[in-house]
Amino acid sequence: MPRLSEIEQPDLPSRDSVDGEPPQPLIRQNSWRSYHRVTSQICHSYLSALLLLVPIGIVAGILGWADEAVFLLNLAAIVPLVSWMTLSITELSASVTPLGDELFKATLGNAVELTVGFAALARGQVRIAQSVLLGSILCYLLLVLGSCFFVSGYNKKKLDFDPTLTGILSSVLMATAVCLMIPTGLVMFLSPDVFARGNITPVTHGTAITLFLLLLVFLFFRLRTHTSYFKAIPAGGSTQSPQIAAVRSWRPAVILAASVLSVALCGFFMVGSLSGFAKSSRISQHFIGLVLIPLVGNSTKILSIVTVDREDRGALGIRTVIINALRITLLVVPCVAFLGWVLDVPTFLVFDAFDTVIFLVGVIVTNSMSQRGQTNYFEGLMLVGTYVLLPLLIFFPAHLRYRTDVLM
């Protein structure tokens, strides 16, 4: 019977305590079983019927159907593919090294962000690539974290968790966010003559390299020097890893390969039809990239995290959020930036001022909550409310602008 890697449970809870109860282990065995069980249930639910849209969406893109049909078909087809990819990576984690396990989850686990980022950058749609990456991070920091706090604490006075590991991870996230926003800050606050296109290139290159080096340090921290922080410890005190049902080694590998290929094709055609869909629906491309694609594309992962976090009183959620945000920031963003070098798009890491402010606010709020070691359902609702406000700020002004253009 294969066993899960002891390292990959970043998303799972750490030692937390509730009034009158003894401290909990760093990572509960039952929590990981529950996460695998919920993901498996999603894969085998009626949601899998959307897999029928995968060939339809790809054919629609090849045959050049209307942009609205191509975009919606491929966006809907990605939903079940993500759940099957998550389940396959989980089952394959027993047969790879801890480093390979983490890289699997950081890359293939974020295949939607990578595919859309690559496709958008290749088409010269830099703003779309930026919006999807930042939108995914904001979705985790605001919507997922807020939902976890609410469903875990709506009938409790407070939620307690050990701030030690969470504080370390949130500090890394804060430092990473500041590093990521350095090119944007220079462009915003210095004279345009000082940082022309040619002069900003070394800064963006240095930022991408620094983020990648931080990833290496983070992996060294997780896999070599502080592995005990992430080691699975069952309630009985044994250090044995949690186990899942045995599967044939070839089956999850084949499913993963097919899912990744399908996501790549669906993402490519979705990005190609995004502009036409935005014009016909009178929805801004910024809204589609920052909100719609990350929310729909990661909907099954969000559902799994929130469902399992209910059993762990909020400890699972905050670590899941921070780890996923770090994966995107430290690996996915540099990978897309490296592609920008090849395509001569040095301004990829220069973000919009509005996106920058919202991103930093989300990171600061997450860092503040993780340092205190306790929260409640009301703070969760505030995070969700902040995320809901984003579509109102982005969608409606764009909608009015389109209507003004029509009237003119």
Side-chain angles (χ1 to χ4, degrees):
M1 180 179 296
R3 63 176 55 178
L4 290 173
S5 166
E6 292 183 343
I7 302 300
E8 162 45 88
Q9 286 49 296
D11 330 82
L12 299 178
S14 149
R15 197 181 305 272
D16 58 352
S17 62
V18 181
D19 295 340
E21 297 183 9
Q24 301 296 321
L26 284 173
I27 299 172
R28 290 192 216 130
Q29 179 176 359
N30 289 337
S31 301
W32 185 241
R33 289 180 181 274
S34 300
Y35 184 80
H36 181 268
R37 171 179 51 81
V38 171
T39 305
S40 180
Q41 289 175 348
I42 293 175
C43 290
H44 295 90
S45 67
Y46 291 110
L47 191 65
S48 293
L50 293 177
L51 289 173
L52 296 174
L53 299 180
V54 175
I56 299 176
I58 295 175
V59 170
I62 296 176
L63 297 181
W65 291 8
D67 289 333
E68 299 90 336
V70 175
F71 179 84
L72 294 176
L73 285 171
N74 286 284
L75 180 62
I78 286 176
V79 175
L81 290 173
V82 171
S83 63
W84 279 104
M85 287 173 54
T86 303
L87 182 63
S88 300
I89 293 174
T90 300
E91 295 177 343
L92 285 173
S93 63
S95 58
V96 298
T97 63
L99 177 60
D101 186 29
E102 175 60 25
L103 293 178
F104 260 146
K105 287 188 166 63
T107 53
L108 301 183
N110 295 297
V112 175
E113 289 80 5
L114 276 173
T115 299
V116 175
F118 286 166
L121 211 59
R123 294 175 177 271
Q125 298 174 310
V126 179
R127 185 71 182 279
I128 296 299
Q130 294 174 336
S131 298
V132 170
L133 296 180
L134 288 186
S136 296
I137 298 175
L138 290 174
C139 182
Y140 283 115
L141 296 181
L142 299 177
L143 179 63
V144 179
L145 185 59
S147 300
C148 288
F149 287 164
F150 176 73
V151 300
S152 301
Y154 71 90
N155 59 347
K156 301 178 180 65
K157 187 175 181 179
K158 63 178 181 178
L159 298 172
D160 294 306
F161 52 86
D162 181 12
T164 303
L165 176 59
T166 306
I168 294 174
L169 294 177
S170 62
S171 298
V172 174
L173 179 61
M174 186 68 188
T176 302
V178 173
C179 179
L180 180 61
M181 293 301 156
I182 286 178
T184 305
L186 291 175
V187 172
M188 289 175 58
F189 296 108
L190 295 181
S191 171
D193 298 333
V194 176
F195 278 93
R197 180 183 181 277
N199 295 329
I200 196 65
T201 302
V203 179
T204 57
H205 288 186
T207 300
I209 294 174
T210 302
L211 290 174
F212 189 76
L213 292 177
L214 286 175
L215 170 67
L216 299 180
V217 175
F218 177 66
L219 292 177
F220 185 76
F221 173 82
R222 287 193 59 191
L223 308 180
R224 300 289 292 183
T225 63
H226 290 73
T227 56
S228 59
Y229 281 10
F230 305 94
K231 188 175 296 183
I233 305 177
S238 171
T239 59
Q240 188 177 15
S241 301
Q243 307 210 342
I244 58 176
V247 294
R248 295 182 180 179
S249 59
W250 57 266
R251 184 172 178 268
V254 171
I255 293 176
L256 179 61
S259 299
V260 170
L261 178 60
S262 299
V263 168
L265 292 174
C266 291
F268 176 79
F269 290 120
M270 182 176 63
V271 172
S273 59
L274 190 150
S275 178
F277 172 77
K279 291 180 180 179
S280 62
S281 61
R282 296 184 178 182
I283 301 176
S284 86
Q285 297 185 37
H286 189 203
F287 170 83
I288 296 174
L290 192 66
V291 178
L292 186 60
I293 294 179
L295 182 59
V296 176
N298 295 307
S299 57
T300 54
K301 294 171 63 176
I302 295 172
L303 180 60
S304 297
I305 294 169
V306 174
T307 301
V308 179
D309 186 66
R310 171 61 183 164
E311 304 174 7
D312 292 281
R313 301 184 296 275
L316 167 67
I318 192 166
R319 284 168 176 78
T320 304
V321 164
I322 297 175
I323 288 294
N324 280 283
L326 284 174
R327 285 170 177 167
I328 296 174
T329 308
L330 294 178
L331 183 60
V332 178
V333 171
C335 286
V336 180
F338 294 152
L339 177 64
W341 298 4
V342 177
L343 300 178
D344 193 24
V345 187
T347 58
F348 169 71
L349 293 180
V350 180
F351 296 91
D352 178 75
F354 174 80
D355 295 347
T356 302
V357 171
I358 296 298
F359 172 68
L360 290 178
V361 167
V363 172
I364 291 172
V365 170
T366 304
N367 184 70
S368 174
M369 290 184 176
S370 62
Q371 298 291 346
R372 291 190 292 114
Q374 63 178 228
T375 185
N376 52 64
Y377 78 92
F378 180 66
E379 291 183 337
L381 284 179
M382 287 192 295
L383 291 177
V384 175
T386 303
Y387 186 82
V388 172
L389 186 62
L390 288 178
L392 299 179
L393 294 175
I394 300 172
F395 175 78
F396 284 108
H399 186 66
L400 294 175
R401 182 174 66 251
Y402 280 118
R403 293 194 59 171
T404 303
D405 293 341
V406 171
L407 293 176
M408 292 177 62

